[in-house]
């Protein structure tokens, strides 16, 4: 079984130091209709392999199978306690209103069969009409009141329903606005990051503010509406992989690890699940790192589905505050 490196998380309401495993197992399968049993079996197998961080979300419809997998892993003795796991879920933005946050988290915990989360994230810096799913209609998009929604997130942490709170898909400017009023700063910002979208500006900002970055779509999210083939089909990354005797996926994950971020990687293929953990006993050379730094940058997930002439963000540039 693999041993996975961890990183400390700042910004807790207690004095206790939390750690996040640096390789997490993702459960987002688009369209969000992966079979319940497939997701459950994959999470159980991931626990057998050594994964301890599991990333889900209300909108993924994977919370219940993740919870059932945790219960099954306990029954099989794969883990002795739920405390051995790090569970992340996300507030769906149709519940992105102060009065809906607590009940949304309570429903997530009910789905998972857990008493608490390790990390609860605001999924996106925009709200939708309550009851809206994904994809959404343009007329459902609304501005999020970051201050009041974050106050509700803070209350959830103080109630012990989640050990830490954070955000996802927040730009430097949006984080700065949030930090201006936050009593508990976000512990994590989960964002798209891979060799083709390296997020240098955001990484520098988050490091300065003590916010840990978790990378989603570390392999480009191929096969999703927001994904790109540019990562896995990169000739440069293929050459680096061949030189090191590794896969392109392992090169990407190792590069992210060397940037001191955690990753959430999704695969239900048993061999790839195992390979994705085999990144800790080797290093990329200085030449490899320099070559990767030169890769042309393209955001794979511009999230144009949240852009609307009538909504809070009228262009992709406005949505990402110029970080495109």
């Amino acid at each position: 079984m693999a041993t996975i490196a961890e990183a400390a998380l700042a910004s807790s309401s207690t004095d206790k130091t939390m750690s996040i495993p640096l390789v997490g197992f993702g459960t987002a399968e688009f369209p969000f209709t992966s079979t319940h049993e497939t997701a459950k079996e994959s999470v159980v197998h991931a626990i057998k392999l050594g994964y301890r961080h599991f990333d889900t979300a209300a909108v993924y419809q994977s919370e219940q199978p993740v919870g059932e997998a945790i219960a099954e892993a306990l029954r099989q003795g794969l883990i002795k306690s739920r405390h051995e796991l790090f569970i992340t879920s996300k507030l769906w933005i149709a519940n992105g209103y102060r009065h809906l946050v607590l009940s949304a988290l309570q429903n997530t915990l009910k789905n998972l069969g857990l008493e608490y989360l390790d990390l609860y994230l605001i999924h996106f810096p925009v709200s939708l009409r309550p009851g809206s799913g994904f994809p959404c209609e343009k007329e459902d998009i609304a501005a999020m009141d970051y201050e009041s929604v974050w106050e509700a997130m803070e209350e959830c942490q103080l109630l012990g329903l989640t050990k830490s709170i954070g955000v996802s898909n927040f730009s430097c400017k949006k984080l700065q606005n949030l930090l201006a009023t936050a009593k508990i700063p976000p512990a994590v910002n989960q964002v798209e990051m891979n060799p083709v979208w390296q997020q240098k500006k955001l990484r520098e900002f988050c490091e300065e503010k003590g916010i840990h970055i978790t990378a989603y779509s570390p392999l480009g999210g191929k096969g999703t509406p927001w994904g790109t083939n540019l990562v896995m089909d990169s000739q440069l990354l293929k050459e680096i992989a061949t030189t090191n005797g590794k896969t392109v996926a392992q090169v990407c994950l190792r590069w992210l690890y060397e940037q001191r971020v955690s990753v959430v990687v999704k695969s239900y293929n048993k061999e790839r699940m195992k390979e994705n953990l085999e990144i800790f006993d080797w290093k990329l050379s200085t030449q490899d790192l320099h070559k990767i730094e030169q890769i042309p940058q393209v955001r794979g997930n511009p999230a144009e589905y949240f852009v609307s002439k009538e909504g809070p963000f009228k262009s992709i540039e406005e949505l990402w505050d110029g970080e495109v």
Side-chain angles (χ1 to χ4, degrees):
M1 184 179 72
T3 300
I4 299 174
E6 298 185 341
L9 289 185
S11 61
S12 168
S13 60
T14 71
D15 293 331
K16 295 180 180 179
T17 300
M18 282 189 63
S19 295
I20 183 170
L22 290 177
V23 178
F25 189 78
T27 61
E29 176 104 331
F30 193 88
F32 301 131
T33 54
S34 63
T35 64
H36 189 108
E37 201 60 32
T38 299
K40 176 185 173 182
E41 290 174 0
S42 295
V43 172
V44 171
H45 186 69
I47 292 173
K48 287 180 182 177
L49 290 174
Y51 287 90
R52 292 296 180 263
H53 177 191
F54 293 89
D55 181 89
T56 182
V59 75
Y60 299 164
Q61 301 178 34
S62 62
E63 290 175 334
Q64 191 173 343
V66 168
E68 291 178 7
I70 293 169
E72 180 62 27
L74 286 164
R75 277 193 293 271
Q76 292 185 26
L78 301 176
I79 51 174
K80 294 179 180 179
S81 166
R82 175 264 181 269
H83 303 303
E84 295 179 32
L85 303 178
F86 189 102
I87 308 299
T88 298
S89 194
K90 306 177 193 74
L91 172 76
W92 179 234
I93 53 180
N95 293 315
Y97 301 88
R98 193 190 200 292
H99 67 288
L100 296 178
V101 173
L102 176 58
S103 60
L105 175 51
Q106 289 170 330
N107 191 60
T108 279
L109 293 173
K110 179 181 176 182
N111 289 340
L112 287 162
L114 300 178
E115 295 181 355
Y116 69 91
L117 293 178
D118 295 279
L119 177 63
Y120 195 43
L121 306 176
I122 297 175
H123 207 146
F124 212 91
V126 66
S127 292
L128 295 178
R129 178 180 55 80
S132 302
F134 182 84
C136 62
E137 301 296 331
K138 296 291 187 181
E139 57 266 26
D140 293 336
I141 303 169
M144 177 178 283
D145 182 344
Y146 302 137
E147 182 175 357
S148 68
V149 171
W150 191 252
E151 283 177 355
M153 296 284 286
E154 291 173 330
E155 289 172 8
C156 289
Q157 180 167 328
L158 294 172
L159 287 169
L161 299 178
T162 181
K163 289 189 173 183
S164 55
I165 51 178
V167 296
S168 184
N169 297 299
F170 271 55
S171 66
C172 296
K173 182 177 179 180
K174 290 180 176 62
L175 283 171
Q176 190 69 66
N177 291 341
L178 185 64
L179 288 167
T181 58
K183 296 181 181 68
I184 302 173
V188 169
N189 186 18
Q190 186 180 121
V191 296
E192 177 190 6
M193 182 177 165
N194 53 58
V196 173
W197 189 243
Q198 298 180 16
Q199 297 274 23
K200 291 181 183 179
K201 178 182 176 182
L202 184 65
R203 277 191 282 144
E204 289 173 2
F205 179 88
C206 287
E207 186 170 359
E208 177 188 334
K209 301 297 182 183
I211 300 170
H212 178 78
I213 283 185
T214 296
Y216 73 76
S217 295
L219 310 181
K222 190 173 181 177
T224 68
W226 57 86
T228 174
N229 298 342
L230 293 175
V231 179
M232 296 302 287
D233 292 348
S234 166
Q235 191 58 42
L236 173 61
L237 293 175
K238 288 178 180 179
E239 290 170 3
I240 293 173
T242 299
T243 299
N244 287 277
K246 304 296 179 182
T247 67
V248 171
Q250 288 171 326
V251 168
C252 293
L253 297 173
R254 177 69 202 189
W255 176 81
L256 286 157
Y257 171 67
E258 294 189 20
Q259 309 312 305
R260 303 187 302 279
V261 306
S262 56
V263 305
V264 170
V265 59
K266 185 263 165 189
S267 176
Y268 288 169
N269 177 285
K270 290 184 177 181
E271 186 58 34
R272 287 197 291 271
M273 288 166 64
K274 179 175 178 289
E275 289 176 352
N276 290 343
L277 289 179
E278 295 171 348
I279 64 166
F280 298 112
D281 60 352
W282 58 282
K283 294 181 179 180
L284 291 165
S285 69
T286 302
Q287 293 90 338
D288 291 337
L289 293 170
H290 179 71
K291 290 175 183 177
I292 292 172
E293 284 181 3
Q294 308 308 310
I295 293 176
Q297 296 296 286
V298 181
R299 182 187 285 277
N301 183 17
E304 65 276 5
Y305 31 80
F306 293 134
V307 171
S308 167
K309 291 181 179 179
E310 295 76 30
F313 304 116
K314 295 172 175 55
S315 68
I316 290 173
E317 289 74 15
E318 190 176 338
L319 174 64
W320 296 107
D321 299 304
E323 296 173 24
V324 292

